Amino acid sequence: MENLFDLIVIGAGSGGLAAAKRASSYGAKVAIIEGDAVGGTCVIRGCIPKKLLVYGSLYSDLLKSAKYFGVKVGNTQFNTGDLLSNIREEINRLSKLHTDLLNKSGVKIIRGWARFNCPNSIIIDDNTTSNERKIITGNKILIAVGGKAKKPNIKGSSLGIISDDMFKLNSFPENIIIVGGGYIACEFSSILNGLGSKVIQLVRAKNLLKGFDSELSDSLRENLARKGVEIHFDDSLASIEGKPGDLIVKTNRNKAIRSEALLFATGREPLIDKLCLDKAGIKLNSNSIAVDIDNRTNVENVFAIGDVTNKINLTPVAIEEGRIFADKFYGKKNRIINYSMIPSAVFSQPEIASIGFTEEEAIQEYGESKVKIYKSKFRSLANSLQKNEDYCLLKLVVKKANEKILGCHMLGEHSAEIIQMASIALVMGATKSDFDKTMALHPTIAEEFVTMR
């Protein structure tokens, strides 16, 4: 039957794409449903365009430093409109590339928004003006719709924008308020500050980056403040008034701040409100889809992966969950994910990257007397001639009893690249003596990880 599939994947983001292509490679008849551009959050409105913005924002400091390296630079101008236009062009290219790869893999792409009709049946609402509906049936259904940015329920919240909207702007505002202290807020604070915007960051908590090593997050706070980002801690948004381009933002500490724009970076939630999960009898865990170790819901033939399950909301995790799902049910390969050692990064300025236990987590787990901390704080060679105040901070969290490295953390240039490679060692169970026996590669930043005493 034309509308009967072995597998229906809802959502053509990172996890859905990985699952669909791999299942198809095993001979399964696969359909993937997407109402937006193929590629999902990471490709279209997340990791990729954001990292391109990061690269653009670095040029401000590079140009300021050029004279110390004998490079004379004339008058320069930053045109954020050109940057945004070039990024959108690249994102369109990547979306088309993913579409072409689906077609080459034999996956049927169905455009529209999916909702459950029953556990095996999906209704697809056409996202054009025709308002047509199509019903397809699948032996297995995989939900991979990802998440969406949240806005708080306050007066005037419609005047604020979310991270998705940042990539649609014609240019960035001269001044902006960013609400939040997580990685998205810190990244956009760095990006916009580097591109010349005046940034005020409004943080409800008393520090930045909950869940990251506190010493690194404190160092980032110092760096952001030194670069001109104004951070208001222990305060939250009360209301927004005015009109786009001219906002009056009021806080719970009775501050009134005028700004061109306000960005909500106050968290994300699973994008499940229009899936009609009740029609299939799918149970939730709070506001996310509850799954078992195989990512199976309480309904035998329905599975869910990625941010919609709200386990570890990272692109590589969703991709691996999708591949493991396809390997298990279509390739007869029984694999599971090790969720205990997953690296993460904040593409702020400077970068932060981590894997494993933070110092606080290790002490809570094992006790302060059973944990040893090694760290190195220094100015990198790249910053030596201009003698600026930027520095690197490298940190190892070690269990004393067996010298096993529990965590590896870094703030500074190339942190993400360095921690990615260090992650291999930690996943293999490396000890401090293993690091000590490794010859240093000089002169590098990463050599500090193998020379700490």
Side-chain angles (χ1 to χ4, degrees):
M1 293 177 60
E2 181 183 350
N3 290 331
L4 175 61
F5 295 88
D6 297 315
L7 172 65
I8 297 172
V9 179
I10 306 175
S14 300
L17 289 170
K21 288 185 288 186
R22 183 154 296 189
S24 184
S25 74
Y26 291 126
K29 183 182 178 183
V30 182
I32 192 165
I33 307 167
E34 179 56 66
D36 202 344
V38 170
T41 295
C42 180
V43 173
I44 307 302
R45 63 192 74 88
C47 319
I48 301 302
K50 180 183 65 183
K51 189 73 180 287
L52 290 171
L53 285 177
V54 169
Y55 288 136
S57 69
L58 292 173
Y59 278 90
S60 178
D61 280 346
L62 288 172
L63 291 171
K64 288 175 185 176
S65 301
K67 64 181 181 181
Y68 296 99
F69 294 90
V71 179
K72 293 183 179 179
V73 179
N75 292 331
T76 57
Q77 287 184 315
F78 285 92
N79 188 323
T80 58
D82 286 349
L83 173 59
L84 287 161
S85 177
N86 292 337
I87 288 173
R88 284 191 287 268
E89 184 177 333
E90 174 62 8
I91 295 316
N92 289 337
R93 184 190 71 82
L94 291 174
S95 181
K96 184 179 182 303
L97 175 65
H98 283 292
T99 301
D100 291 343
L101 289 172
L102 284 174
N103 288 325
K104 288 178 182 177
S105 300
V107 176
K108 182 176 178 60
I109 305 171
I110 302 175
R111 302 287 184 172
W113 300 103
R115 54 190 170 95
F116 279 89
N117 188 39
C118 67
N120 290 91
S121 179
I122 297 294
I123 298 173
I124 303 160
D125 297 309
D126 193 338
N127 57 356
T128 68
T129 55
S130 65
N131 293 320
E132 292 183 3
R133 293 195 314 168
K134 184 176 185 178
I135 299 178
I136 62 175
T137 303
N139 294 325
K140 286 185 174 62
I141 296 174
L142 178 66
I143 305 169
V145 294
K148 61 179 179 179
K150 292 191 294 187
K151 283 186 177 183
N153 184 22
I154 62 164
K155 179 185 175 182
S157 62
S158 62
L159 292 167
I161 60 176
I162 58 175
S163 56
D164 297 17
D165 302 319
M166 295 297 290
F167 307 108
K168 302 173 186 176
L169 297 176
N170 292 323
S171 62
F172 287 134
E174 291 186 12
N175 55 77
I176 188 170
I177 295 171
I178 298 177
V179 182
Y183 74 95
I184 293 175
C186 291
E187 288 172 338
F188 273 110
S189 283
S190 294
I191 289 166
L192 291 163
N193 174 258
L195 291 172
S197 298
K198 170 62 180 173
V199 179
I200 294 175
Q201 192 170 344
L202 194 63
V203 184
R204 183 175 58 183
K206 297 182 185 299
N207 45 47
L208 300 174
L209 298 174
K210 179 183 177 182
F212 280 82
D213 188 275
S214 63
E215 196 168 6
L216 269 69
S217 63
D218 286 344
S219 296
L220 176 62
R221 172 185 52 78
E222 293 171 7
N223 275 277
L224 288 174
R226 191 166 61 249
K227 290 176 183 291
V229 176
E230 186 179 326
I231 308 176
H232 297 195
F233 287 104
D234 200 22
D235 201 358
S236 56
L237 200 60
S239 66
I240 311 172
E241 299 172 359
K243 60 184 180 180
D246 186 15
L247 304 179
I248 300 294
V249 176
K250 295 183 179 179
T251 80
N252 286 317
R253 284 185 173 268
N254 297 317
K255 296 173 186 173
I257 309 168
R258 196 166 205 138
S259 182
E260 285 185 37
L262 181 142
L263 170 65
F264 288 112
T266 48
R268 297 177 64 82
E269 60 187 357
L271 187 62
I272 58 176
D273 47 328
K274 295 181 181 179
L275 288 177
C276 297
L277 298 175
D278 57 312
K279 297 283 187 180
I282 297 168
K283 292 182 179 178
L284 299 181
N285 179 13
S286 184
N287 66 340
S288 58
I289 297 177
V291 293
D292 64 13
I293 193 171
D294 291 322
N295 284 95
R296 190 193 302 267
T297 70
N298 62 296
V299 179
E300 182 71 17
N301 69 298
V302 181
F303 300 77
I305 60 171
D307 293 6
V308 77
T309 67
N310 206 21
K311 287 191 285 188
I312 297 179
N313 299 342
L314 294 170
T315 294
V317 175
I319 291 171
E320 186 66 355
E321 286 175 344
R323 289 172 177 167
I324 283 176
F325 163 81
D327 285 345
K328 180 177 180 66
F329 294 102
Y330 299 100
K332 298 180 180 179
K333 299 175 184 177
N334 194 11
R335 300 195 295 125
I336 59 172
I337 290 182
N338 176 11
Y339 289 101
S340 63
M341 277 289 179
I342 295 176
S344 59
V346 182
F347 291 104
S348 50
Q349 293 179 24
E351 287 181 8
I352 287 178
S354 293
I355 182 171
F357 281 86
T358 65
E359 179 178 351
E360 296 82 7
E361 289 169 343
I363 289 172
Q364 185 176 1
E365 179 74 16
Y366 298 105
E368 188 170 2
S369 64
K370 296 181 179 179
V371 174
K372 186 168 184 179
I373 305 300
Y374 296 83
K375 60 185 175 183
S376 179
K377 182 177 178 179
F378 58 98
R379 179 191 289 151
S380 74
L381 197 59
N383 290 317
S384 61
L385 296 184
Q386 59 270 51
K387 295 180 173 56
N388 65 30
E389 296 181 69
D390 291 348
Y391 59 84
C392 297
L393 175 61
L394 282 66
K395 193 168 184 178
L396 290 176
V397 181
V398 178
K399 187 177 180 182
K400 282 184 179 178
N402 56 10
E403 285 202 319
K404 184 176 180 179
I405 298 175
L406 302 172
C408 185
H409 311 279
M410 180 176 169
L411 172 141
E413 60 196 80
H414 312 306
S415 293
E417 304 288 351
I418 291 168
I419 293 297
Q420 173 66 87
M421 298 311 296
S423 298
I424 300 171
L426 266 68
V427 168
M428 294 177 70
T431 64
K432 180 65 170 63
S433 60
D434 290 326
F435 272 45
D436 292 342
K437 288 183 288 187
T438 301
M439 189 65 69
L441 178 59
H442 184 73
T444 64
I445 295 171
E447 70 177 299
E448 293 290 325
F449 276 126
V450 299
T451 59
M452 289 181 184
R453 294 291 184 270

